[in-house]
Amino acid sequence: MATVNMQQGYTAVLWVLAVLGMEATALGECELTRLLQDKLQYEMRLQYMKHYFPINYMVQVQYEEVLRPSNITRLRNGTVSEVALRYLWFHVSSQAVLRIHEVLPEKHPSWKYTQELCQLFDALGKEYSKYQQSDVEAVVADLVKLIHSTGVESRRKAVRPKALLDNCLKVMRMLYGAPCQWEST
Ligand SMILES: *[C@@H]1O[C@H](CO)[C@@H](O)[C@H](O)[C@H]1NC(C)=O
Ligand SMILES: *[C@@H]1O[C@H](CO)[C@@H](O)[C@H](O)[C@H]1NC(C)=O
């Protein structure tokens, strides 16, 4: 029962956000990532990121825009702080969502979905704007710099849109599960 109420609560919040055009600045990191988690449920990822795209459709991203659980394991082992890892996840994921959004015409059935994801990341960005690149370990600061550089020499690879969001969700669960006390399901 509690779970149902909670879900209704989040649905209501999503609705309010949609109506108000995202006045989400009052929400914290845990609430926002929780909303993201709801939006990234398997059925939605499947429908919006796979079924609505042509078979084998790929988007072009930089290598550094692919952040998998294995990257996190490696960076954690290299003693990168959890805050820095969340900062990195935020930059990689918001960029990934933007990449997908960019290739969609407004009439595409996934347009609104990715637009809503972009809005959630915008709101989350306010949480991260307090960090300077000098606050995080150099290895993370360098990665974030690379992600935002539109350098001609940046190496690109083709990735399925759903794979980008799969990684986004998996890594988010790794990084926010404990601090936000999500059940480990
Ligand atoms: C994650 O690891 C892959 C190689 O497995 C690498 O190409 C990519 O740049 C790494 N991503 C980040 C953000 O470090
Ligand atoms: C962690 O790093 C050490 C050395 O820095 C290495 O020997 C070990 O295999 C690494 N473990 C993982 C899980 O990557």
Side-chain angles (χ1 to χ4, degrees), residues 89-124:
W89 168 84
F90 165 75
H91 283 279
V92 169
S93 303
S94 52
Q95 183 80 356
V97 169
L98 217 54
R99 292 266 188 221
I100 300 167
H101 195 55
E102 271 169 10
V103 300
L104 297 173
E106 212 171 321
K107 290 212 168 85
H108 191 283
S110 301
W111 190 86
K112 191 160 176 295
Y113 175 75
T114 44
Q115 169 90 342
E116 285 164 6
L117 288 177
C118 285
Q119 288 172 337
L120 282 173
F121 276 108
D122 279 351
L124 201 53

Side-chain angles (χ1 to χ4, degrees), residues 2-105:
T3 317
V4 170
N5 282 339
M6 213 153 81
Q7 256 169 10
Q8 281 171 347
Y10 284 118
T11 310
V13 172
L14 272 186
W15 182 80
V16 168
L17 293 182
V19 168
L20 296 182
M22 207 67 198
E23 222 8 275
T25 41
L27 297 176
E29 241 176 297
C30 287
E31 282 100 337
L32 287 166
T33 46
R34 182 74 212 209
L35 288 170
L36 266 175
Q37 185 164 238
D38 283 352
K39 271 234 162 277
L40 292 173
Q41 293 166 37
Y42 178 69
E43 292 74 18
M44 291 190 180
R45 276 178 289 136
L46 192 66
Q47 178 166 12
Y48 291 112
M49 292 294 117
K50 187 167 177 193
H51 292 167
Y52 288 161
F53 278 90
I55 293 168
N56 291 333
Y57 186 85
M58 305 271 202
V59 285
Q60 297 289 324
V61 301
Q62 295 183 62
Y63 274 79
E64 294 76 22
E65 288 168 30
V66 176
L67 184 68
R68 299 192 190 93
S70 58
N71 293 84
I72 299 298
T73 309
R74 224 176 300 135
L75 289 165
R76 266 182 179 157
N77 193 20
T79 67
V80 172
S81 68
E82 291 298 299
V83 166
L85 290 174
R86 291 199 289 269
Y87 180 83
L88 176 62
W89 168 84
F90 165 75
H91 283 279
V92 169
S93 303
S94 52
Q95 183 80 356
V97 169
L98 217 54
R99 292 266 188 221
I100 300 167
H101 195 55
E102 271 169 10
V103 300
L104 297 173

